[in-house]
Amino acid sequence: MTVPRFTLNDGYALPAIGLGTWAMSDDEAATAVAEGIRTGYRLIDTAASYGNEAGVGRGIAESGVLREELIVTSKLRGRDQGYEETLRAFETTRRDLGVEYVNLYLIHWPLPRQDKYVETWKAMIKLREDGLVRSIGVSNFTAEHLDRIIGETGVAPSVNQIELHPGFPQDEMRRVDAERGIVTQSWRPLGKGRLLDAPAVVEAAGFHGVSPAQVILRWLHQLGTVPIPKSADPQRQKENFDIFRFNLRQPEMERISAMAGGRLGGDPDTHEEF
Ligand SMILES: NC(=O)c1ccc[n+]([C@@H]2O[C@H](COP(=O)([O-])OP(=O)(O)OC[C@H]3O[C@@H](n4cnc5c(N)ncnc54)[C@H](OP(=O)(O)O)[C@@H]3O)[C@@H](O)[C@H]2O)c1
């Protein structure tokens, strides 16, 4: 199957779907990542705070797929924000993953109360200039956080990874990202599996002969975002990957967008993750 790709504002390509690894142990991540890559995933998402970068690295090495075909993403955790701290933390991430370079490195949360995200962003730029990271981005940044780092450095992130799922379609943040040339990635795309029995989703799944998870991931794709569903199960990994063979109709898109719900995770203005 051919997976569409987005072109980032730095010229690199990003596959339209990725594999999440949150809450996997090292051993689970090693197995799930190797299996996912064999299924066809080329974008892998981890973070220092998940504590599984070594396992993800093992999965990458064991997958049998060439390193240059993979987009390996990790994230800088809150306690490591700051210029020198970021450079040091990146070295740990690189060592744990066992890679020469990281494709996409994100600031995990803005943590506005500690107000270090601008100097942290300058260190991300340095990592890119030094060729250690291909693309730099952020996660959970609002318009205000984005405009501050862009205003102070002249460099826009390539990606903003934000919470986005039915019940929380993030119309405003998708517009904010698009206006700044930033690709939006969707975390918790399946609402941790809790959104799969919503009538709007189940009825669209019945019409198209696909699963509820496929409907949700397709909805995220048609919104122009890159979902990164997590599954440790080979069958569900395959299911989540297979979303490029059908099209949701406009009324289905609108009905899913209008589902009641809201945020399931932290508010970027107040959430503290160290
Ligand atoms: N940047 C951030 O702040 C941030 C925050 C949260 C998450 N993330 C990233 O986003 C990724 C995805 O978010 P998430 O893991 O929180 O939630 P999610 O992907 O919405 O849901 C994962 C859950 O759904 C289940 N599942 C997956 N596919 C399924 C299917 N086809 N049918 C039924 N159940 C299915 C999984 O179980 P099985 O494994 O058993 O299939 C797992 O329990 C994370 O893994 C992480 O990489 C980033």
Side-chain angles (χ1 to χ4, degrees):
M1 191 191 335
T2 313
V3 174
R5 288 179 165 244
F6 288 79
T7 301
L8 299 174
N9 57 18
D10 56 25
Y12 285 106
L14 191 73
I17 187 150
L19 181 67
T21 65
W22 178 68
M24 290 181 186
S25 67
D26 273 325
D27 285 346
E28 284 166 344
T31 308
V33 166
E35 187 68 39
I37 292 172
R38 283 192 284 269
T39 291
Y41 289 88
R42 293 294 176 264
L43 170 63
I44 309 295
D45 186 84
T46 183
S49 66
Y50 300 171
N52 63 14
E53 287 172 311
V56 168
R58 230 159 63 217
I60 288 168
E62 286 164 11
S63 70
V65 168
L66 290 175
R67 169 70 184 92
E68 53 263 39
E69 287 187 29
L70 302 174
I71 306 294
V72 180
T73 308
S74 195
K75 313 185 195 81
L76 177 87
R77 71 173 128 202
R79 79 171 78 125
D80 294 323
Q81 284 202 24
Y83 191 85
E84 293 300 333
E85 294 89 335
T86 297
L87 301 181
R88 268 200 302 275
F90 174 76
E91 272 313 306
T92 307
T93 276
R94 194 161 76 104
R95 188 200 60 212
D96 287 352
L97 282 166
V99 294
E100 295 269 308
Y101 62 91
V102 168
N103 297 77
L104 178 61
Y105 196 42
L106 310 177
I107 303 178
H108 205 148
W109 287 88
L111 304 181
R113 201 172 62 91
Q114 72 166 9
D115 197 21
K116 287 188 181 171
Y117 63 84
V118 174
E119 48 179 309
T120 302
W121 184 241
K122 289 179 181 164
M124 306 290 276
I125 295 169
K126 165 85 171 137
L127 289 169
R128 190 174 71 176
E129 283 168 359
D130 289 349
L132 297 168
V133 174
R134 296 244 159 115
S135 300
I136 51 177
V138 294
S139 179
N140 303 301
F141 271 44
T142 66
E144 184 190 334
H145 308 137
L146 291 173
D147 286 342
R148 207 162 146 224
I149 58 171
I150 297 168
E152 297 211 24
T153 65
V155 178
S158 298
V159 164
N160 189 12
Q161 184 182 113
I162 58 175
E163 179 181 349
L164 211 167
H165 44 71
F168 197 52
Q170 292 261 38
D171 293 348
E172 173 63 12
M173 271 316 300
R174 283 189 288 109
R175 189 184 58 74
V176 162
D177 286 346
E179 280 173 0
R180 289 156 184 75
I182 300 168
V183 169
T184 302
Q185 287 187 334
S186 302
W187 65 254
R188 200 142 296 160
L190 303 172
K192 276 189 172 169
R194 286 187 227 129
L195 301 167
L196 301 172
D197 53 4
V201 172
V202 172
E203 283 165 33
F207 180 85
H208 294 280
V210 298
S211 74
Q214 288 173 317
V215 166
I216 293 177
L217 297 170
R218 180 73 203 182
W219 171 78
L220 289 161
H221 175 62
Q222 289 182 218
L223 289 182
T225 77
V226 177
I228 47 167
K230 173 262 174 185
S231 182
D233 176 85
Q235 264 326 105
R236 286 194 286 275
Q237 284 186 353
K238 286 195 180 72
E239 177 185 327
N240 296 346
F241 188 71
D242 186 12
I243 58 162
F244 302 106
R245 290 196 275 214
F246 68 103
N247 259 309
L248 293 172
R249 298 163 297 167
Q250 198 50 33
E252 292 169 328
M253 288 293 294
E254 286 166 14
R255 200 170 159 217
I256 297 169
S257 291
M259 272 169 54
R263 206 188 275 291
L264 300 168
D267 179 338
D269 281 321
T270 52
H271 182 74
E272 304 217 310
E273 171 273 330
F274 292 102

